């Protein structure tokens, strides 16, 4: 049971190469969680960072079980995900608002740091962002890049 080796290899895995329906995705996620203590509530920031791209495979239940500190540590990694589990999408938005505060108070730097997590925000939520020139620039840049 070579957990350090497994986690190191998983850091470089391109999960998008596996079909969304592949049971291997859940098996890899479960093995990584097992390597890191066996339960999601036990994950700390370092554990979350060790999950690497497997964080993108988290379900809504997995996301809800993260401690506040672990979720905060997960945001930069989640921002790099190309896609999210369907069940995780609304839970991710809920946790973002809980962690970062009301959308109307988010700075351009916060929005810039969210990366692909921005795709989870619906039009109503996006309309709550501060209407500043800097925010418009960030959103315009994001639309161009994505």
């Amino acid at each position: 049971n070579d957990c350090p080796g497994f986690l190191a290899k998983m850091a470089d895995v391109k999960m998008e190469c596996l079909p969304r329906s592949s049971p291997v995705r859940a098996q890899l996620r479960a093995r990584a969680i097992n390597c890191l203590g066996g339960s999601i509530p036990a994950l700390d920031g370092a554990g979350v960072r060790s999950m690497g791209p497997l964080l993108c495979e988290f379900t809504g239940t997995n996301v809800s079980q993260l401690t506040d500190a672990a979720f905060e540590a997960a945001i930069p990694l989640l921002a790099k995900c190309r896609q999210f589990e369907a069940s995780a999408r609304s839970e991710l938005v809920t946790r973002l608002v809980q962690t970062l505060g009301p959308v109307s108070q988010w700075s351009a730097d916060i929005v810039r740091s969210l990366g692909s997590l921005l795709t989870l925000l619906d039009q109503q939520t996006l309309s709550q962002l501060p209407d500043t020139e800097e925010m418009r620039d960030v959103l315009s840049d994001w639309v161009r890049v994505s």
Side-chain angles (χ1 to χ4, degrees):
N1 193 6
D2 178 26
C3 282
F6 170 74
L7 292 171
K9 286 178 185 164
M10 291 311 303
D12 297 326
V13 165
K14 303 284 185 237
M15 293 300 290
E16 58 269 15
C17 294
L18 280 174
R20 288 290 323 149
S21 59
S22 173
V24 173
R25 288 174 175 268
Q27 292 165 355
L28 292 171
R29 181 184 67 235
R31 180 164 177 205
I33 291 167
N34 193 43
C35 280
L36 295 166
S39 82
I40 292 170
L43 289 176
D44 59 9
V48 163
R49 286 185 289 279
S50 295
M51 293 285 298
L54 290 173
L55 274 178
C56 304
E57 303 303 312
F58 269 28
T59 65
T61 300
N62 297 151
V63 172
S64 70
Q65 292 174 334
L66 288 168
T67 65
D68 291 345
F71 183 76
E72 196 164 343
I75 292 173
L77 295 166
L78 291 166
K80 296 176 184 174
C81 296
R82 292 181 185 257
Q83 52 189 344
F84 299 96
E85 283 289 318
S87 68
R89 293 175 184 175
S90 65
E91 186 60 32
L92 283 165
V93 172
T94 299
R95 292 299 302 270
L96 284 171
V97 173
Q98 287 173 350
T99 303
L100 302 174
V103 176
S104 62
Q105 296 175 17
W106 289 1
S107 68
D109 288 338
I110 287 174
V111 172
R112 190 177 291 112
S113 74
L114 293 179
S116 64
L117 289 166
L118 281 176
T119 64
L120 303 176
L121 304 179
D122 61 22
Q123 186 60 44
Q124 181 181 352
T125 304
L126 288 170
S127 70
Q128 295 173 39
L129 290 168
D131 186 16
T132 65
E133 186 173 342
E134 186 180 15
M135 188 67 73
R136 287 190 295 274
D137 288 346
V138 167
L139 292 173
S140 176
D141 289 345
W142 181 78
V143 168
R144 264 195 300 268
V145 171
S146 54

